[in-house]
Each structure stands twice: as C-alpha cells, then as structure tokens.
Amino acid sequence: GQNIDQPTEMTATEGAIVQINCTYQTSGFNGLFWYQQHAGEAPTFLSYNVLDGLEEKGRFSSFLSRSKGYSYLLLKELQMKDSASYLCAVRHGGPLGGGGNKLTFGTGTQLKVEL
Amino acid sequence: DTGVSQDPRHKITKRGQNVTFRCDPISEHNRLYWYRQTLGQGPEFLTYFQNEAQLEKSRLLSDRFSAERPKGSFSTLEIQRTEQGDSAMYLCASSSPSGTPQSRGRAARNQPQHFGDGTRLSIL
C-alpha cells in the first residue's frame, strides 16, 4: 500500500525560509511531486524528483532521498502569497507496468506566512 | 486559456439524483485523470485514461461511478444515485508524453499532471 506523511500545519515569517518534509512508504516508487494549492483552487505543479538530490527552481527547491523514503520542499524569501497548502505526491508503478501514472497524495501541509 | 477546464464549477443536487461532470484536458495531452478531494485532505485517485482507454480504476470508484472518454479528448464522470458521502471536489488532470519516440517512455513518466479548478459537488 501507500503511506505519505507530512505535517498538517506550519507557520513562517515573510522573508524567511521554510522546509516542508514528506516521508513515504510505497510499492514501486516512480517519482515524487510537490504541488501548491490555494483554497478553492486547483493544485499547481511546483517540482518533481525521481533521482536522489536537490532540484532547484527559483525560490523553490525540492530534495529526495529514495533510500530514506524522504523528501522536502524548501521555500526561500517567503511572500504572503505563499500561504497555501503544499501537497506531496508519489507516483508509483501501475498494473500495466511502464512506470504507471497515478499519484498518491499526502494530506497537505497548510503553510501560513505572517508579517 | 489553454489549461484544463471543468464544468460545472459547482453542482448542488438532492440525494438520489444523478450528476455528470465534464473535463476538457489540455489539447495535446493524451492522459486524463479524475481525482476526488475532501476538505483537509489531498486528492484521491479515481481513474485514468490514456486516449480513449480507461487503464486503471480505484477501489473508491463504486459501481455508481462511471467515467468515459469516448473520442480520447474530453471526459465525463457520472455519479448515479448520489449519496451524502459523495460531496467533494472532483478534480480532473491531464498530462502528456513528450520527446522522441525512443525516449517517450521515460519522458512520459516525467510529465507532471496539470489540474483543472474542479467541480464542487454538494449533496442536500
């Protein structure tokens, strides 16, 4: 089965750096995605890791350790508009092989950025 | 706007009624997914199409739920005899393989899913 854990809530200060952790247990890991979701809106893609290491994309970076079943999303120079839910999602092998396609999401981390 | 579009945005209906939602994916995307999301939870996978073929269905998808993608473009999700527990946001996402035919398999797995704004279903 699939199990994904991430903190429910975090609070940080504008301009600061925040790290959102995600641990997972899955059969057939095939990549980890981070999405941002504002209330009432669609999840929007932030980053993707399939190999170990750090992927950097502007103010956002994501890290993966497959051996530890661990990822984090790093947000730098926080802005008020970064207040949102951050969803960790694992893609795993499907029944037809070829890598599969469905995503299993964590419950999301609600980030609140304060002045 | 060339993103994923869903219709309607909101649907309120009485318990026991049938409802149908529509999803129009990004035009060049051949993969289409349906998810369900309740308050405070992440999206849960329901089903997935590659072109017109429905390749995977979650155990969450009871026999009251049916999804189609007849021409490999837009998709519909129908819920028959709705129940209170069906109240949720129904999200559609699409993705596409890219790259050369030789690399398409690997490249396909790297393509993120792009989500629509969802249809919020409320059962009275």
Side-chain angles (χ1 to χ4, degrees):
Chain A
Q2 318 295 324
N3 190 38
I4 299 174
D5 288 313
Q6 51 181 132
T8 305
E9 294 179 339
M10 297 184 73
T11 301
T13 305
E14 189 179 35
I17 299 172
V18 70
Q19 177 175 312
I20 302 174
N21 296 324
C22 172
T23 58
Y24 64 89
Q25 294 172 312
T26 184
S27 54
F29 176 85
N30 191 31
L32 188 142
F33 292 79
W34 284 95
Y35 282 82
Q36 179 193 61
Q37 187 176 29
H38 287 97
E41 297 183 10
T44 54
F45 169 72
L46 291 177
S47 70
Y48 167 75
N49 297 72
V50 67
L51 299 176
D52 291 351
L54 189 68
E55 293 284 338
E56 296 186 84
K57 219 176 177 183
R59 294 192 299 115
F60 297 88
S61 303
S62 58
F63 171 83
L64 176 67
S65 169
R66 289 173 294 170
S67 62
K68 295 181 180 177
Y70 167 69
S71 174
Y72 67 73
L73 179 70
L74 196 70
L75 293 80
K76 303 175 186 175
E77 301 169 14
L78 280 174
Q79 303 174 11
M80 298 297 289
K81 67 178 183 180
D82 296 330
S83 293
S85 179
Y86 290 85
L87 298 161
C88 172
V90 170
R91 183 165 58 188
H92 55 92
L96 300 181
N101 287 283
K102 73 180 184 186
L103 297 176
T104 300
F105 284 85
T107 56
T109 298
Q110 189 66 43
L111 174 66
K112 183 178 179 183
V113 180
E114 299 178 329
L115 290 172
Chain B
D1 184 12
T2 57
V4 178
S5 64
Q6 293 188 243
D7 183 70
R9 290 294 308 276
H10 304 275
K11 180 70 177 178
I12 301 172
T13 192
K14 293 182 179 178
R15 188 178 54 187
Q17 298 295 304
N18 298 345
V19 294
T20 300
F21 312 140
R22 176 179 170 124
C23 171
D24 286 87
I26 294 171
S27 58
E28 64 269 23
H29 286 184
N30 68 343
R31 296 190 167 112
L32 186 147
Y33 314 78
W34 286 99
Y35 292 83
R36 180 173 67 188
Q37 186 176 26
T38 54
L39 196 62
Q41 301 296 315
E44 295 174 296
F45 171 80
L46 294 178
T47 190
Y48 148 63
F49 291 85
Q50 181 161 307
N51 300 311
E52 65 276 7
Q54 189 173 18
L55 297 186
E56 192 169 351
K57 291 169 62 174
S58 165
R59 284 169 290 183
L60 292 175
L61 215 64
S62 76
D63 56 6
R64 295 186 298 106
F65 288 69
S66 62
E68 294 182 344
R69 194 182 183 199
K71 298 181 180 179
S73 56
F74 74 91
S75 175
T76 58
L77 177 68
E78 181 182 16
I79 309 174
Q80 296 182 325
R81 306 181 302 281
T82 52
E83 301 174 357
Q84 292 280 347
D86 296 332
S87 294
M89 175 75 84
Y90 289 84
L91 292 164
C92 176
S94 69
S95 71
S96 175
S98 64
T100 64
Q102 290 76 18
S103 67
R104 186 161 292 157
R106 185 177 67 246
R109 295 194 288 274
N110 295 343
Q111 297 304 308
Q113 295 177 24
H114 297 272
F115 285 81
D117 285 335
T119 294
R120 182 169 294 284
L121 174 65
S122 298
I123 306 298
L124 301 177

